[in-house]
Every structure is written in C-alpha cells, then in structure tokens.
Amino acid sequence: MRRVPQVTLILLGVACSGCVAFGDGLLTVKGELTLTDSRAIACTLSLANLDEKEPRPYNVRPITGKYFADFTVAPTARDYRIIVSCIGYDSVERTIHFMPPVTRIDLEAISPPLKKGK
C-alpha cells in the first residue's frame, strides 16, 4: 500500500520535468503592411529555416494592415527567414535569429519596395 503513493509521486515528477526540459520555442512577429493600392491584396507572412527553399504550409499566415503572428519553433537558437509576400508584388525577406524560449520580432511598417512583380 505504501508504494502506490511513492510511485505516483515519482511518475508525476518525471512527467513535470519532461515538460520543462523539452518544451517548444515561440517566435512572435508584429508589424504593419501599408500598400498604396486601394484594392484588397492577398498578403502572407511566412517563416522558414535558412536551408528550406519554401516555407512549410503550417508556417504561413495571412496578414493585412497591422498584424501579429506567432510560430512554434524548435527550442534551440537558430536563424530563420521571415518573408512577407503580396500577390502582384515582390517579396520582402529578412533573416532573424531566434533565442529560446521566446523571441519577439517587430517588422514595423512595410510598404513598397514591395515592387510590382511581372
């Protein structure tokens, strides 16, 4: 009978320590998109590893005006690419450095040089 509380306590301790040691990182991005076109333009904010040619679909967020997006990332320091893309315009790309556990990025206002694409 005495072993049941001890085993329960040990299992609870192991479970809690696993949550702390192996958590994910959080990367937040905020900014403002200012386009001179009065018509609605579809824009996205994407996050990709430096070695990826294209961002993974789950790391793409639609954005308009003032935006805020968060991404779950690996809990280790590394560099990422942030890409702002709008249909009919060239993309804007920035390389950022993630420092665990949370990194906040402020892209401020982005307006053309989102040049008209061909």
Side-chain angles (χ1 to χ4, degrees):
M1 283 290 213
R2 288 185 178 179
R3 289 188 179 194
V4 172
Q6 291 173 346
V7 170
T8 303
L9 187 59
I10 290 170
L11 289 175
L12 184 60
V14 168
C16 288
S17 67
C19 294
V20 172
F22 300 107
D24 291 324
L26 179 65
L27 177 71
T28 65
V29 181
K30 73 175 186 173
E32 183 175 4
L33 188 62
T34 56
L35 297 175
T36 55
D37 274 348
S38 59
R39 58 196 162 110
I41 298 173
C43 297
T44 59
L45 173 71
S46 307
L47 179 74
N49 291 324
L50 289 182
D51 58 350
E52 293 177 328
K53 290 184 180 182
E54 295 291 324
R56 297 177 186 190
Y58 56 82
N59 280 336
V60 178
R61 311 282 191 274
I63 57 171
T64 58
K66 289 186 178 183
Y67 59 87
F68 176 86
D70 58 357
F71 299 92
T72 302
V73 295
T76 56
R78 67 176 60 183
D79 292 332
Y80 290 95
R81 292 182 302 129
I82 294 177
I83 306 130
V84 176
S85 304
C86 297
I87 293 175
Y89 289 85
D90 293 334
S91 299
V92 172
E93 187 174 314
R94 299 224 173 105
T95 301
I96 57 98
H97 185 71
F98 172 75
M99 286 299 295
V102 177
T103 296
R104 292 173 177 83
I105 304 297
D106 187 353
L107 292 179
E108 299 175 358
I110 294 179
S111 58
L114 289 172
K115 297 178 275 184
K116 282 270 190 194
K118 294 181 180 169

